[in-house]
DNA sequence: GCCGTTTAGTTAGCCAACTAAGTAAATTTT
DNA sequence: AAAATTTACTTAGTTGGCTAACTAAACGGC
């Protein structure tokens, strides 16, 4: 039989796992008023404050419009602030507010909890294996 | 240093891979006028036509509201049709139209192409390994 | 029969992601 | 210097996903 059974494909498994992973993250992040994805923006700002939106676009691997909307909400929530660049007036730089900075530790803990709830069941060796395989797949998909 | 570096977490790798996988699927599906996710609904109907929406909710692991909206669009696109169940008037059954049925083969080919573009780089043994590990993670996340 | 509960879907509204089209500023070309 | 192009970001509109609140029908106990 040549019928393609979707549920047997690795891509289907991947999507299932990713959905469950996102739900777990979403559920924990909602406790501090965030949505999955927003914490990644904050992460890059903790690592380097005052990034340009273009830089966030590159780091997050999403479209400019996605960053614009996401920042609109983070700004409304009082977690970041946009200021025009002094030298290039096209450029908008993004800065953390105190409220945004203060979430650092809580979000770090949430990540660790999600990581444990997902991959904690794997042995150290299995974790290294899945990391290697995921990277191989990502490289294949991105080229 | 105890700082949690997001990008080193397996969850981050997983999300990256899943995003790239979805983009690949979306790009191929758009050629036949579909969006990623809609083809999964069609898949379950090919497997068994006339399912109830509740059944689709269970199979797809999404919320009832998500199915409602998705079916609204598939119905507008002329790919499925809803008819009330004769015995239980709360129940809405979903049937493929000829147009919906006709996409079967094309979508099967797209799946195989996405699968190859993602996991084709892995050896058969590696594919079995990642399947086993993903299932382990999924089980962990779902309990 | 009647009232309360459960079940099946819908509606409204929110967020992340996308595309496409548009504005504005800087840069490059002529 | 003026025109064309590129770069940075926004706006409008789409989809997949979610929650919360809602309607309607079936089921259960009394």
């Amino acid at each position: 039989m040549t019928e393609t059974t979707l549920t047997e494909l690795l891509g289907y498994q991947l999507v299932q796992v990713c959905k469950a992973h996102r739900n777990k993250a979403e559920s924990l992040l909602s406790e501090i008023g965030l949505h999955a994805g927003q914490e990644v923006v904050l992460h890059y700002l903790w690592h380097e404050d005052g990034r340009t939106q273009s830089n966030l676009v590159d780091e997050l691997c999403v479209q400019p419009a996605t960053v614009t909307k996401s920042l609109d909400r983070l700004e409304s929530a009082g977690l970041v602030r946009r200021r025009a660049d002094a030298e290039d007036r096209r450029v908008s730089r993004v800065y953390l507010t105190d409220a945004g900075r203060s979430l650092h530790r809580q979000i770090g803990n949430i990540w660790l909890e999600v990581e444990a709830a997902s991959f904690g069941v794997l042995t150290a060796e299995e974790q290294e294996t899945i990391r290697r395989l995921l990277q191989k797949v990502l490289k294949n998909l991105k080229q």
Side-chain angles (χ1 to χ4, degrees), chain A:
Chain A
M1 80 140 186
T2 55
E3 191 185 348
T4 308
T5 306
L6 175 64
T7 54
E8 286 172 6
L9 297 177
L10 283 169
Y12 188 80
Q13 311 285 332
L14 176 71
V15 171
Q16 296 279 96
V17 172
C18 202
K19 200 182 285 184
H21 180 270
R22 188 187 182 86
N23 287 346
K24 180 72 184 172
E26 184 81 42
S27 131
L28 293 179
L29 286 169
S30 71
E31 292 172 12
I32 55 171
L34 289 184
H35 292 272
Q38 299 185 323
E39 91 283 10
V40 186
V41 178
L42 296 177
H43 161 80
Y44 282 107
L45 294 175
W46 289 323
H47 201 268
E48 182 186 323
D49 202 16
R51 288 176 187 261
T52 66
Q53 295 193 198
S54 302
N55 177 260
L56 288 173
V57 164
D58 293 341
E59 297 284 16
L60 299 167
C61 299
V62 296
Q63 296 301 307
T66 301
V67 167
T68 293
K69 278 194 176 179
S70 183
L71 289 178
D72 286 349
R73 290 172 200 127
L74 287 171
E75 204 165 22
S76 299
L79 302 178
V80 306
R81 199 177 49 207
R82 279 186 267 211
R83 296 192 59 180
D85 185 271
E87 295 184 353
D88 187 335
R89 289 169 53 193
R90 293 171 305 181
V91 172
S92 158
R93 291 190 175 274
V94 186
Y95 299 89
L96 287 164
T97 62
D98 288 342
R101 247 183 302 272
S102 76
L103 292 174
H104 195 159
R105 185 173 307 169
Q106 290 172 75
I107 289 181
N109 289 337
I110 288 175
W111 284 339
L112 293 179
E113 191 173 341
V114 175
E115 189 80 353
S118 311
F119 303 99
V121 72
L122 303 184
T123 67
E125 193 185 342
E126 286 175 330
Q127 292 191 11
E128 276 321 297
T129 301
I130 200 170
R131 179 188 305 279
R132 182 176 61 82
L133 297 180
L134 285 175
Q135 274 168 352
K136 215 166 164 183
V137 171
L138 182 61
K139 195 176 166 194
N140 197 30
L141 271 166
K142 276 204 164 175
Q143 78 187 2

